[in-house]
Structure formats: structure tokens, C-alpha cells
Amino acid sequence: MIKVLHLLLKFKNERLASGSDTINEHKKIAEEKGRLIWGHSSSKSTKLMSDKSRALYKNQFSKGIDTYCFFLTSIKGEQELYVGKLSEIYFRGEITSASPLKKFIPSYYAGNVGTGFPADKNNTLVDVSNFFKVDSKYVSRIKVRSSAKDFTSDVGRSSLFYVDINEDLEKLLIELLSNPEAKFQYEVEQEDVPDDVTVKDKPKDKPLKRLGSSTGSYKRDSKTSKNAIVTAKYKCEVDTTHENFVSRVTGENYVEAHHLIPMEYQDDFDTSIDVEANIISLCVGCHKKLHHATYSVIEPLIEKLYDDRIDRLKDCDIKLTSHKLHNYYK
């Protein structure tokens, strides 16, 4: 059996003039468009990837083989790892200056794409979907094919690597990409939010709908959910004594984020319901109960959570009656 070849790009997370940085600008495109074209910069005029290697990847794409591109950087001495499902690879010049594909490239360098070297330093561009952060422990599960070294060791000065991944990482990616809710909760856990984060309840504009989605499919911001969990001190807000296990990511009681007003009802409101005031920190059992139990079982829980949150929701200009909330769960 032929082993699937994946790709890894090492990059520097640069601070931009706008105050943003490399990661956040790429995340923004991925979230808004549902797709991202990442330009891998190089001062070299020659290709970083051979035609033969690209042909191998294209063969995998044509056969529907799940192929991943990993993005590795270091922030304050700590490695950060991101991943996207890879669907195409372009060489410099293949995306022209007038190409509609440029809308999937961050604006801070999209203008240079297709203008020719040296203005266009984007040597190789990768087209990915489902871009998200992965626990850095998986860095050791990715090995350079030519040397079998992982990225916790010295792999040389190159920034583009042909890589293999181990079974644990492959299973994780298959699970997360097949289960959007599990993927979202995983992304929430990966968000780095300080314990002393301050949340101010105020109205926010409605979030964007997912590109090409049906009515009601609004995107959720994982950092907003993590803010809500941290301000709840990683406690279950139905019952603070509910403790399942300690998360190996946060070192705290494991909880999940739940939107009290489900996001599918965003169209019923004039402002965003993806706000901390509408996000409840729940243990796994209570979270599953709210999603799957009969109404008679969850009715008192909904009433409790409504009473706990109605004042905060009002501060966000979210007009909600108890009757309306209960109807969402019937």
C-alpha cells in the first residue's frame, strides 16, 4: 500500500502594520470564505517543490485521497501547529494578477501575487479548507519522509517538507473533519485566553454566514466561546460540582461551550448571538442532555439558564422571552 504524502510549511508569524499577524490574517480568510490560499514566501526565484512532487500530490487529489498541509511556527519559544485539508498546489505565476482566486489570499500580500518575481515572493501557494490549530504535541507525530526525523529535532534549514503522519494524528483529523461540533469544541480548547480575561457585554454585529451555507448556518468564533469558559472558571454552569476529568490541553476541568440561544436562530435577532452572554460552560453530560434529552428533562435547566443570563443578554440588545427560549428546545 502506498503511503499518503502530506506537506508541511515552516513560517515566521510576523507582526503586520495593521496590528494583526500572519496567523490571524490567514484564519480570517479561512473563516470568512471557507477556503484559504496560503502563499509560502521565498527569496529564491527557483521552485521549492519539483514538478514531479507536485504531480504526486495532484494524483492523490484526483483519487480523493485526504491530503493535509501543516503550518508550523514558533511563538515566544513555543511551537504552534495548524492544518488544512489540501486540494491544490500552485507555483508562482499560476495565479495571475487578475485571478478570482486572489479573494482567498490575505489582502496584505494578495496584491503582489501574479506580478512576477521579485515583487511576488510567493514561491508556492497551497489551497486548503478546514484550517485550524492542532495541539502542538502532534509535532512529534509528523516526520520528514526523506530522513524520518520529526519536527522536535533539527530538520535542516528548508521551509517546505514532504511529510508522513502517524496513525494517531490521522485518526484525529478524520474524526474532527467528519464531526463539525467536535471540531469546534477542539478549536475552543486550543484557544489561548488568559485567566484574567475581562468580558464586557455589549451589542455586536451579526456574524458572517458560512460561505455557500444554507440559511441559519452562521459561523461561531472559538475565541468568544473560550472567553465564556474562562470567565466561568471552567465550571459547569448547570451545576458547579460537575467534574468529569482534567483536560490535558488546559490543565483545568474539561467543559464545552454551548450557545443558550442556538446559532440556527440567529435570523430571529438583530444583533449577534455569538457573544459571551449567550455562551454557557457545560460539563459533557449536561451539554449532551441539552442537545439530546426529552423536553421534560431539560425544561428546568433551560429556565435556570434563562434566569442566570437574561440581564446579560439585554446588555447585548438580545431581546428574549422565556417562552421563546423554551420553544427553541421543544
Side-chain angles (χ1 to χ4, degrees), residues 184-195:
F184 178 72
Q185 297 298 340
Y186 183 88
E187 291 178 83
V188 171
E189 263 216 301
Q190 298 301 316
E191 290 287 357
D192 186 17
V193 171
D195 291 339

Side-chain angles (χ1 to χ4, degrees), residues 212-230:
S213 70
S214 58
T215 300
S217 185
Y218 286 88
K219 67 178 289 294
R220 298 172 289 178
D221 179 59
S222 55
K223 191 149 198 169
T224 301
S225 285
K226 186 61 173 281
N227 288 342
I229 283 174
V230 172

Side-chain angles (χ1 to χ4, degrees), residues 99-133:
S99 173
L101 291 175
K102 289 178 70 171
K103 67 183 178 183
F104 301 111
I105 302 173
S107 60
Y108 75 93
Y109 67 87
N112 292 329
V113 173
T115 60
F117 186 78
D120 183 3
K121 289 185 167 55
N122 297 285
N123 188 292
T124 309
L125 299 101
V126 294
D127 199 332
V128 299
S129 59
N130 291 294
F131 179 78
F132 63 100
K133 186 179 180 183

Side-chain angles (χ1 to χ4, degrees), residues 256-273:
E256 295 179 341
H258 173 76
H259 286 72
L260 181 59
I261 307 168
M263 287 299 296
E264 64 191 278
Y265 298 109
Q266 174 64 76
D267 285 336
D268 291 353
F269 301 89
D270 296 327
T271 61
S272 176
I273 58 173

Side-chain angles (χ1 to χ4, degrees), residues 6-35:
H6 304 285
L7 187 64
L8 184 142
L9 304 177
K10 290 180 72 175
F11 70 99
K12 183 178 180 182
N13 187 43
E14 297 179 328
R15 180 65 58 180
L16 306 176
S18 64
S20 185
D21 58 31
T22 304
I23 292 172
N24 283 311
E25 287 303 298
H26 286 83
K27 280 178 66 179
K28 184 168 70 172
I29 293 292
E31 291 169 357
E32 290 178 358
K33 308 293 186 182
R35 178 180 175 185

